[in-house]
Amino acid sequence: MFSDPAARFSRRRLLERTALGFGSLALASLLADQSLAGDRADPPSPMPHFPARARRVIFLFMKGGPSHVDTFDPKPQLDRDHGKPYPGTKPRVQFAKTGALLRSPWKFQKHGESGIEVSELFPHVAGCVDDLCLIHSLHGTNPAHGGAVLKLHTGSDNFVRPSLGAWIAYGLGSENRSLPAFVTVCPTLAHGGVNNWGSAFLPADCQGVPIGNASVPVEQAKVRYIRNDHIPPNLQRRQLDLMAELNHDHLGRTGPDPDLEGRIRSFELAFRMQAALPDVEDLSKETAATRRLYGLDDPVTANFGRQCLLARRFAERGVRFVQVTHSDGQVQWDQHSKLKQGHEKNAREVDRPIAGLLTDLKARGLLRDTLVLWGGEFGRTPTAEGTDGRDHNPEGFTVWLAGGGVKGGFRYGATDDYGYYAVEDKVHVHDLHATILYLLGLDHERLTYRHAGRDFRLTDVSGQVVHNILA
Amino acid sequence: MRGVQTFSATAGLALLLSAMVAPAQTNVSRAREPHWAFRPTRPIPVPTVRSPQPDPHNPIDAFIQARLEAAGLRPSPPADRRTLIRRVAFDLIGLPPTPEEVDAFVNDPAPDTYERLIDRLLASPHYGERWGRHWLDVARYADTKDGVLLYGDDRVRPFAYTYRDYVIRAFNDDLPFDRFVHEQLAADLIEPRVEPSRLAALGFLTLGRQFDGNIHDVIDDRIDTVTRGLVGLTVACARCHDHKYDPIPTADYYSLYGVFAGSEEPLVPPPLDPGRRGPEAFEWNYAAKEREVRMMLDVQYALLAEAARARVGDYLVHVATTEPDPLETAIYFLSLAPDDLRPPLVARWRHFVAQRAKPNDPVFGPWHDLLALPDGRIAADAPAVLADWLSREPGTRPGQVNPLVRDALAAAELASRADVARTYGSLLKRMYEESKASPEEFDGPRRQLLDLVVGRDSPAYFPRSQTRHLMSRADKDAFGKKLQDLDKLAVKEPSAPPRAMALTDAPEPYSPRVFVRGNPARPGAPVPRQFLGVLAGERRQPFAHGSGRLDLAKAITAPDNPLTARVIVNRVWMHHFGEPLVETPSDFGLRTRPPTHPELLDYLADWLVRDGWSLKRLHRLIVLSATYRQQSFDRPECHTADPENRLLWRANRRRLDLEAMRDSLLAISGRLAPALYGRPVDVANDPLNRRRTVYGLVDRQSVPGLFRAFDFACPDQSAERRTQTTVPQQALFGLNAPFVAEQARALAARPEVAAAADEAGRVQALYRRVLGRAPDADEVRLAVAFVAAAQSSREPRRLEPWAQLAQVLLLTNELMFVD
């Protein structure tokens, strides 16, 4: 098939270069692979910048803004002062008007050796609390979903900027030659939409590959054009073989050319991805115990359970950044009213799957170098909206990390007595981003890309690594 | 058109003269001397080369060969005709030549056959579709708005396409580039008046993102598109601080800010063809909705203007008792209750009082002195402060005291800052109420006070066009919904007459101030509306006409602006050769690499201007050069010396971009719809759509996966060039997309394929159609064997063997790359 000496020579040289890529840095994804073929600007400084504590990220995104004072940030004072006005000053910009303090309808209990309190909304996650690193003092700047979601995903609440996953894909590539570096399962199409997994000005191969979207049950979610509906696989294989032969003949006539060779390989990669992706998505080979662990046996938890199980399967195959989104077609965690019903429904859907994921990752030894991030775009006000709801609150809220390089059973930062503002060891969204990159071995000040006359980075001109949470 | 030609000829002459009397180096300010891009263009002598070949007449070849000779390299021989027609057809019209066209060109012995081919391609309406699309990348064109809550029809701008069509027409008509710039920036201001259809040009400014209504960001986007797009400078970097590298002070950013802040979009876009009407019911509904919109605006303007004046006291108390809040001007999506003070007006009052509260001011002098007291001391110390003012001469001039202010303060009990502000507020409000009863009795001190409320400079004044920003949340939502409804009517009616996404000058020009650190809440020094200092030089004059948009357009295309011509020449060059002369086509600043061929760039820039800014003639000059016509084969000895081919010792092999890829598949299968122009269609998801890709709906909020996979330029900001990536999603599209299967089926079913005498004949017909050549014996054998094997398979299939083969050919590198 590769009869032409010139083509063969160039192919061999290419394989050598590719092999080098595999051997040295983690650049050897099918994507970074392309950069070795010469059509992508390599990152400006050698990466990783320092030893990585995590090799990949799973981001469990709770869209709409889960209430921190009802989940992971207990506030006894709020309980005591229920019905009284909030004694401090409310933020200048609020999404809606809120009234008096509203106590949490849920009880908190100490769990694990760390004795960290978790509300009864998350009984299963509470069982993993000794693996969690809770950041209670996260704060953002934007009180509206659109801006806040974009801020969390891209570091900018208004401009179109590469997303966190795209920066990581840019910096590290994928570890798997048949799968992309960045996969997002059932992402929401609203509130930033594609920009939340887009690559903006970064090369297109850094963008997240969406699998379905938030309005589709994950069982039906597929990568676009991943399946051929026209001919069976063996006929398609023959097509590919013929194409490869014609392309190599052509290559022989033109002389070595990395662009031509890159495209030849991309068809083989696509063919592998065609096989690899359905294989990742095929959960039938998981044991009954595993399926139960993720809650696949219960219709309430089955959908998010599948997403979490998929996340593990992508992570163990070397995908760098896997995001799963908990959202229906609406704004799932956005309880401006009926907090009790809404949060109970939402928590029930995710609690067992998340605990299952953490347990499973740990049992497989993956939690050591997988960083799990849980959170929404903001928290909610300790004051009541209407009688039984809470408004958006970007002033102070909780996210948690687990695994890859962070302290377990650890709480960092604090909000005020009522949970309105982050007051102690404040962590801005930019700081969170800087810390995640740091854990992956990337320096957020050196992971830059030249565009429109200047160097851009995920953290813009801000960001401090939160060293105190590092294990 | 003739006017423009004359203008350019004169400009050329002036250039020539200036170059003769004063060498450029001595005639420019020191700041612009060192950097190549800021030097004036001038006629450059064509270098002489030792062995001009193969064609000594084209100046481009002389420049290129001079550099090659210096490097000890020789150009490549000319490409064969089959390669050449394919290359030039993709370049100029974005479509492959038909087999018949290839044959005709290959077999035509006439010496001018290539020239005639060029002329035919340049005259094709497909030329505008190809080159218009290149421009749309620069113009960050999209058919939709951005906005996190916009879905479905809500997000579509029903008339965005009129700008896209304007651009395609402008290229097809070879509208001189300087005129093209004028129309895109100021079609509404050009004299003599242009026909209404040309107002669509203004989409260049208006089709950007809306940034949730944040006007500062909208203006920033316009400044960025205009400066990077037209003059290759990253002026938007100077929004918060002076440009880090380039001589662009923040003041210059705000000079341009003033131009766009003094321009506004009409409430309802004007019709392109006032005579044309849509279906009766649509017209009736549209007119009714338009009346509703205008009426609501009238009512709201009256209400809000009245409230702004009547509540002068509340504003003053707020200003006197609170600290400035950056959100007063920074946030545009605030939810305002009907009774809330309007943050933009608060900011204006703050600024106004800060300017006027000076020790000598007859009105705000006492305010200044009283508010200088610590809050706890006002009750005790106010009498002493007032005593000083009571002794001053009454009057309205600096140093005097307005007697009405004096009396009001004397009569008031002043125990706090709020008391002082309330006293002023009551007085001003009384003046305002009395003026309603008897406006004519106002003079002297009373007039002075009344003007603070009703004058054009009063902080309570706002232009009608800003009404929307001041509405309460409920009213703003209702108003927005009415406008949205209006748009939706047009989106839903396929024959809605086209309208222009126009721009007009505000009733009054905007007087810009620098926003300190980019913060609109911190207005600093006033600046005139004027052009960039680095380009206008010492002769810079403030813009004198309205918003200044036409002045800006003229400054951009002025013969002594060295950048505009260089930037467009570089873009055109890039699309012909795959690589630009300046590798950052939208940034010619100090930190960018100099051109590979500086003299050539200058020669062409100067040539373009003197030739009357015709892009078609520029194309012709370029594609007729021997440099352009070279082979693309690798030559190891040259490769070693110049691996990136920066010296152009060969032609660059290029992959088809998204549009050329999809359009070629349609053209080859014979299904390409010939229609030009019109409302956007769904090319990304509809496998049966046959329109050219340029007519596909560009959804900014959710750029289709197909577009993103094939490196489509992000439509959120002006794109200087597309990245080129090879990702498996592209291959998945080729292998599995129903669109590709459709084309493969249609191709296999073409009469010359299906009706061929035998299998070899079918293969030959397919090769001819797809690759424009005959297959060799091996290729025939391979193809026949492939089909036979596919036919012997008993598995169910929805694509027949010959279509399977057709699909393979449609995906080959030989088709997808242009040599």
Side-chain angles (χ1 to χ4, degrees):
Chain A
M1 213 165 100
F2 311 120
S3 54
D4 183 85
R8 198 166 53 219
F9 167 70
S10 143
R11 226 179 118 72
R12 191 177 65 230
R13 207 182 51 185
L14 204 75
L15 285 172
E16 280 164 8
R17 283 189 293 171
T18 312
L20 187 70
F22 279 113
S24 55
L25 302 177
L27 275 168
S29 66
L30 75 161
L31 309 169
D33 213 75
Q34 299 312 308
S35 86
L36 294 171
D39 50 12
R40 171 165 147 207
D42 283 331
S45 55
M47 286 179 259
H49 302 119
F50 2 83
R53 293 154 187 256
R55 297 173 70 86
R56 65 197 76 83
V57 177
I58 295 176
F59 177 17
L60 307 171
F61 177 50
M62 305 290 114
K63 192 191 168 200
S67 167
H68 52 297
V69 296
D70 297 305
T71 53
F72 295 100
D73 193 9
K75 291 292 162 190
Q77 191 73 30
L78 177 60
D79 208 36
R80 284 194 287 277
D81 290 350
H82 174 71
K84 295 185 187 164
Y86 174 65
T89 313
K90 288 182 187 171
R92 287 179 299 217
V93 179
Q94 296 166 63
F95 201 75
K97 289 234 185 292
T98 58
L101 294 165
L102 177 72
R103 76 160 69 100
S104 174
W106 296 282
K107 304 247 176 313
F108 282 79
Q109 260 189 349
K110 293 190 165 148
H111 293 271
E113 287 180 19
S114 59
I116 290 175
E117 288 180 89
V118 176
S119 96
E120 56 194 345
L121 275 176
F122 282 99
H124 292 90
V125 173
C128 304
V129 77
D130 287 341
D131 290 318
L132 304 189
C133 173
L134 298 140
I135 300 175
H136 289 307
S137 52
L138 200 74
H139 63 110
T141 35
N142 201 308
H145 292 292
V149 172
L150 272 175
K151 184 90 177 179
L152 184 61
H153 283 81
T154 71
S156 167
D157 50 7
N158 203 350
F159 296 103
V160 175
R161 297 281 183 260
S163 54
L164 172 62
W167 278 110
I168 291 170
Y170 173 63
L172 299 176
S174 177
E175 290 184 298
N176 185 315
R177 296 174 61 247
S178 308
L179 292 171
F182 175 11
V183 168
T184 178
V185 181
C186 295
T188 165
L189 295 179
H191 298 126
V194 295
N195 294 329
N196 290 318
W197 67 89
S199 55
F201 44 74
L202 289 181
D205 56 9
C206 299
Q207 66 191 308
V209 172
I211 300 184
N213 63 62
S215 329
V216 181
V218 66
E219 263 186 306
Q220 296 159 28
K222 290 285 173 288
V223 169
R224 201 95 202 271
Y225 307 130
I226 195 68
R227 225 184 58 179
N228 189 305
D229 294 327
H230 310 290
I231 49 174
N234 67 326
L235 288 183
Q236 189 177 54
R237 183 63 252 176
R238 294 187 63 87
Q239 275 191 315
L240 280 157
D241 290 343
L242 176 62
M243 196 193 317
E245 183 137 14
L246 298 179
N247 282 340
H248 279 287
D249 282 352
H250 175 250
L251 190 63
R253 292 196 299 274
T254 61
D257 180 326
D259 290 341
L260 294 177
E261 291 161 282
R263 189 166 178 276
I264 291 172
R265 276 177 303 133
S266 80
F267 275 87
E268 291 304 323
L269 294 166
F271 193 71
R272 284 204 301 274
M273 198 162 134
Q274 249 178 206
L277 260 182
D279 182 55
V280 184
E281 292 175 325
D282 177 10
L283 307 183
S284 66
K285 292 182 193 107
E286 296 287 344
T287 64
T290 302
R291 296 167 63 85
R292 247 196 326 278
L293 185 63
Y294 284 82
L296 267 55
D297 55 342
D298 176 349
V300 173
T301 49
N303 192 51
F304 197 71
R306 269 193 197 94
Q307 284 184 251
C308 286
L309 185 47
L310 267 183
R312 189 213 81 208
R313 293 172 64 86
F314 278 121
E316 71 190 346
R317 283 162 175 79
V319 174
R320 285 284 175 192
F321 193 93
V322 190
Q323 174 164 349
V324 300
T325 297
H326 183 235
S327 184
D328 43 26
Q330 305 298 307
V331 193
Q332 183 113 23
W333 285 86
D334 195 28
Q335 267 75 63
H336 288 279
S337 63
K338 297 189 180 146
L339 173 71
K340 186 141 191 334
Q341 294 93 313
H343 263 45
E344 255 163 23
K345 171 181 180 288
N346 297 335
R348 231 188 348 257
E349 287 173 7
V350 302
D351 177 42
R352 251 182 90 195
I354 293 172
L357 174 66
L358 292 172
T359 310
D360 197 20
L361 287 175
K362 200 168 181 181
R364 288 166 195 265
L366 280 167
L367 194 57
R368 267 198 309 270
D369 56 3
T370 303
L371 181 68
V372 180
L373 165 66
W374 175 95
E377 66 268 36
F378 35 55
R380 308 204 75 83
T381 55
T383 46
E385 182 177 353
T387 56
D388 61 350
R390 299 190 191 278
D391 189 25
H392 308 166
N393 180 14
E395 309 292 339
F397 60 106
T398 298
V399 299
W400 55 253
L401 299 164
V406 295
K407 292 175 183 163
F410 186 70
R411 304 178 61 177
Y412 183 79
T415 47
D416 60 37
D417 287 345
Y418 301 95
Y420 216 135
Y421 293 91
V423 290
E424 213 176 90
D425 293 331
K426 294 176 71 169
V427 178
H428 190 271
V429 170
H430 289 310
D431 304 328
L432 178 68
H433 287 159
T435 308
I436 292 172
L437 292 184
Y438 181 86
L439 286 164
L440 291 162
L442 298 170
D443 179 347
H444 71 103
E445 290 183 342
R446 283 193 282 163
L447 183 64
T448 59
Y449 193 85
R450 172 61 59 96
H451 165 70
R454 73 172 174 98
D455 286 336
F456 283 81
R457 53 183 235 225
L458 172 61
T459 50
D460 196 12
V461 294
S462 319
Q464 298 278 331
V465 174
V466 186
H467 286 281
N468 286 336
I469 66 168
L470 306 178
Chain B
M1 250 13 53
R2 190 180 298 146
V4 174
Q5 297 287 4
T6 314
F7 163 78
S8 298
T10 318
L13 189 64
L15 263 177
L16 211 62
L17 284 173
S18 72
M20 282 158 58
V21 283
Q25 288 86 338
T26 63
N27 202 21
V28 288
S29 62
R30 277 195 317 123
R32 26 192 307 191
E33 190 182 44
H35 185 54
W36 60 268
F38 302 155
R39 279 183 223 141
T41 52
R42 64 210 146 84
I44 304 276
V46 176
T48 41
V49 284
R50 261 171 298 159
S51 47
Q53 63 148 327
D55 172 359
H57 301 302
N58 193 298
I60 291 172
D61 298 330
F63 285 102
I64 296 293
Q65 286 174 29
R67 287 291 308 277
L68 284 173
E69 269 177 16
L73 303 175
R74 291 171 64 78
S76 291
D80 65 65
R81 284 196 169 187
R82 199 178 300 280
T83 303
L84 188 59
I85 184 175
R86 204 164 170 264
R87 179 188 299 168
V88 74
F90 273 116
D91 259 11
L92 291 178
I93 65 169
L95 293 169
T98 65
E100 295 72 29
E101 287 164 346
V102 175
D103 288 348
F105 179 64
V106 169
N107 299 321
D108 187 345
D112 65 341
T113 177
Y114 184 60
E115 281 85 342
R116 281 186 289 113
L117 171 67
I118 302 307
D119 291 340
R120 180 173 66 72
L121 291 170
L122 286 172
S124 159
H126 295 317
Y127 159 77
E129 294 174 323
R130 178 65 173 164
W131 283 81
R133 184 56 252 183
H134 292 323
W135 186 253
L136 294 174
D137 282 7
V138 175
R140 41 95 178 94
Y141 172 79
D143 289 290
T144 64
K145 307 159 199 169
D146 58 305
V148 291
L149 287 173
L150 294 170
Y151 297 104
D153 290 345
D154 281 359
R155 73 195 197 293
V156 177
R157 282 179 162 141
F159 302 114
Y161 77 92
T162 61
Y163 172 69
R164 178 246 285 145
D165 286 353
Y166 164 84
V167 169
I168 295 175
R169 282 199 179 90
F171 275 91
N172 277 338
D173 296 345
D174 199 20
L175 189 68
F177 187 75
D178 56 345
R179 176 76 180 187
F180 185 52
V181 170
H182 293 183
E183 292 188 356
Q184 289 179 105
L185 296 189
D188 57 318
L189 303 173
I190 291 175
E191 296 290 350
R193 290 270 159 191
V194 298
E195 50 191 287
S197 69
R198 306 204 79 81
L199 292 179
L202 292 161
F204 181 69
L205 295 175
T206 56
L207 285 175
R209 298 180 63 212
Q210 332 183 103
F211 300 90
D212 289 326
N214 184 333
I215 188 71
H216 310 299
D217 287 346
V218 170
I219 291 174
D220 185 64
D221 169 64
R222 291 175 183 173
I223 291 174
D224 183 55
T225 304
V226 166
T227 55
R228 283 201 299 126
L230 300 175
V231 295
L233 288 174
T234 54
V235 175
C237 290
R239 183 176 178 179
C240 308
H241 47 68
D242 291 347
H243 198 291
K244 294 281 189 201
Y245 319 126
D246 295 339
I248 302 167
T250 304
D252 279 9
Y253 177 92
Y254 288 96
S255 288
L256 298 184
Y257 179 98
V259 171
F260 297 110
S263 307
E264 48 192 45
E265 290 164 47
L267 198 54
V268 176
L272 287 190
D273 175 1
R276 187 168 144 194
R277 288 181 64 78
E280 207 50 43
F282 164 78
E283 292 291 351
W284 196 89
N285 289 334
Y286 198 87
K289 188 54 84 177
E290 185 177 336
R291 273 196 305 278
E292 233 179 85
V293 166
R294 293 192 188 282
M295 199 178 299
M296 179 163 179
L297 190 72
D298 289 344
V299 169
Q300 284 286 319
Y301 182 53
L303 279 173
L304 292 166
E306 170 63 19
R309 292 169 186 163
R311 296 189 62 189
V312 55
D314 297 337
Y315 280 99
L316 285 173
V317 170
H318 188 75
V319 165
T321 56
T322 60
E323 289 298 310
D325 182 340
L327 299 174
E328 281 163 7
T329 45
I331 300 277
Y332 267 72
F333 59 86
L334 283 178
S335 299
L336 292 169
D339 293 338
D340 286 349
L341 296 180
R342 283 2 195 193
L345 298 188
V346 172
R348 284 166 56 97
W349 272 110
R350 238 184 247 294
H351 184 65
F352 184 81
V353 170
Q355 298 290 308
R356 289 290 300 268
K358 298 280 152 65
N360 256 357
D361 190 275
V363 176
F364 282 99
W367 171 294
H368 169 265
D369 292 353
L370 289 166
L371 265 58
L373 299 172
D375 214 18
R377 300 289 310 164
I378 289 181
D381 294 352
V385 169
L386 287 178
D388 172 48
W389 282 96
L390 289 169
S391 69
R392 296 214 192 178
E393 186 189 353
T396 57
R397 291 196 307 277
Q400 299 177 321
V401 62
N402 185 308
L404 293 160
V405 173
R406 179 195 64 197
D407 295 349
L409 288 170
E413 257 185 55
L414 301 176
S416 66
R417 300 167 70 90
D419 288 342
V420 176
R422 253 192 298 275
T423 306
Y424 272 86
S426 311
L427 176 63
L428 293 180
K429 179 162 184 196
R430 182 156 61 82
M431 291 301 113
Y432 175 54
E433 297 299 339
E434 287 176 15
S435 76
K436 286 200 250 180
S438 44
E440 68 283 357
E441 286 172 21
F442 275 74
D443 52 9
R446 281 159 64 80
R447 181 85 246 166
Q448 185 176 36
L449 295 178
L450 181 62
D451 279 350
L452 296 176
V453 186
V454 301
R456 213 48 192 277
D457 294 328
S458 165
Y461 168 80
F462 59 91
R464 193 185 143 85
S465 49
Q466 277 183 25
T467 305
R468 198 177 171 181
H469 300 305
L470 302 178
M471 292 183 194
S472 73
R473 172 71 180 258
D475 289 328
K476 196 175 177 179
D477 286 354
F479 188 69
K481 184 165 180 314
K482 285 183 200 299
L483 283 173
Q484 200 69 50
D485 288 346
L486 195 62
D487 273 359
K488 272 199 278 194
L489 282 175
V491 171
K492 290 210 172 86
E493 175 50 60
S495 50
R499 290 170 178 266
M501 303 284 298
L503 205 63
T504 58
D505 275 7
E508 293 199 3
Y510 179 91
S511 302
R513 288 170 171 276
V514 170
F515 292 156
V516 179
R517 305 233 18 109
N519 183 348
R522 291 179 64 195
V527 291
R529 293 181 303 281
Q530 59 185 5
F531 196 43
L532 303 168
V534 61
L535 296 180
E538 283 147 15
R539 285 169 299 154
R540 175 160 71 164
Q541 293 290 323
F543 293 155
H545 308 94
S547 67
R549 269 184 293 121
L550 187 55
D551 307 67
L552 173 62
K554 286 179 175 164
I556 286 172
T557 57
D560 58 354
N561 174 350
L563 274 175
T564 308
R566 282 190 180 114
V567 168
I568 186 62
V569 160
N570 188 53
R571 291 192 198 284
V572 170
W573 185 275
M574 171 173 74
H575 292 302
H576 280 301
F577 287 93
E579 287 297 325
L581 296 167
V582 179
E583 66 182 9
T584 48
S586 292
D587 183 2
F588 279 38
L590 296 173
R591 293 275 287 239
T592 54
R593 287 225 300 211
T596 51
H597 299 79
E599 296 82 11
L600 174 58
L601 178 66
D602 278 11
Y603 177 89
L604 291 175
D606 175 66
W607 184 92
L608 176 73
V609 175
R610 277 187 294 119
D611 192 56
W613 296 92
S614 160
L615 294 187
K616 281 194 179 181
R617 290 179 51 82
L618 179 63
H619 294 307
R620 210 169 180 284
L621 183 69
I622 290 173
V623 301
L624 284 174
S625 71
T627 304
Y628 177 82
R629 291 197 250 177
Q630 292 178 93
Q631 291 174 355
S632 65
F633 294 118
D634 195 18
R635 289 154 63 210
E637 75 281 10
C638 300
H639 195 109
T640 314
D642 176 22
E644 290 176 64
N645 191 28
R646 288 172 68 83
L647 298 179
L648 285 171
W649 46 266
R650 65 161 165 167
N652 288 312
R653 180 174 299 119
R654 285 178 288 155
R655 199 181 71 200
L656 300 186
D657 59 16
L658 166 72
E659 291 86 351
M661 178 274 297
R662 185 179 167 280
D663 295 351
S664 295
L665 298 188
L666 283 166
I668 291 168
S669 76
R671 293 164 56 88
L672 183 69
L676 299 165
Y677 310 122
R679 294 158 68 100
V681 294
D682 184 4
V683 303
N685 302 301
D686 175 6
L688 300 179
N689 188 288
R690 302 170 172 210
R691 297 293 306 278
R692 284 198 80 173
T693 312
V694 69
Y695 301 113
L697 183 98
V698 180
D699 186 350
R700 165 176 284 139
Q701 191 61 13
S702 178
V703 176
L706 170 66
F707 284 37
R708 283 184 292 133
F710 283 90
D711 301 310
F712 187 73
C714 171
D716 283 317
Q717 47 181 299
S718 177
E720 62 176 8
R721 64 188 300 189
R722 297 185 182 185
T723 55
Q724 192 192 308
T725 59
T726 306
V727 296
Q729 287 95 319
Q730 295 164 355
L732 288 175
F733 174 81
L735 290 170
N736 300 338
F739 170 84
V740 179
E742 271 312 308
Q743 308 323 313
R745 268 191 207 104
L747 175 57
R750 286 184 62 84
E752 72 267 29
V753 178
D758 55 12
E759 294 192 326
R762 281 187 166 196
V763 174
Q764 273 153 2
L766 278 175
Y767 262 80
R768 206 171 117 75
R769 184 75 196 170
V770 180
L771 302 175
R773 68 174 174 90
D776 65 25
D778 272 356
E779 286 166 334
V780 174
R781 187 180 44 74
L782 274 172
V784 171
F786 171 86
V787 171
Q791 278 165 340
S792 70
S793 162
R794 270 190 287 270
E795 289 187 72
R797 62 191 179 219
R798 306 223 311 261
L799 201 61
E800 293 309 307
W802 284 99
Q804 292 174 32
L805 174 65
Q807 185 183 15
V808 170
L809 293 178
L810 287 174
L811 297 180
T812 50
N813 278 346
E814 189 174 342
L815 176 64
M816 286 297 144
F817 286 81
V818 178
D819 276 302

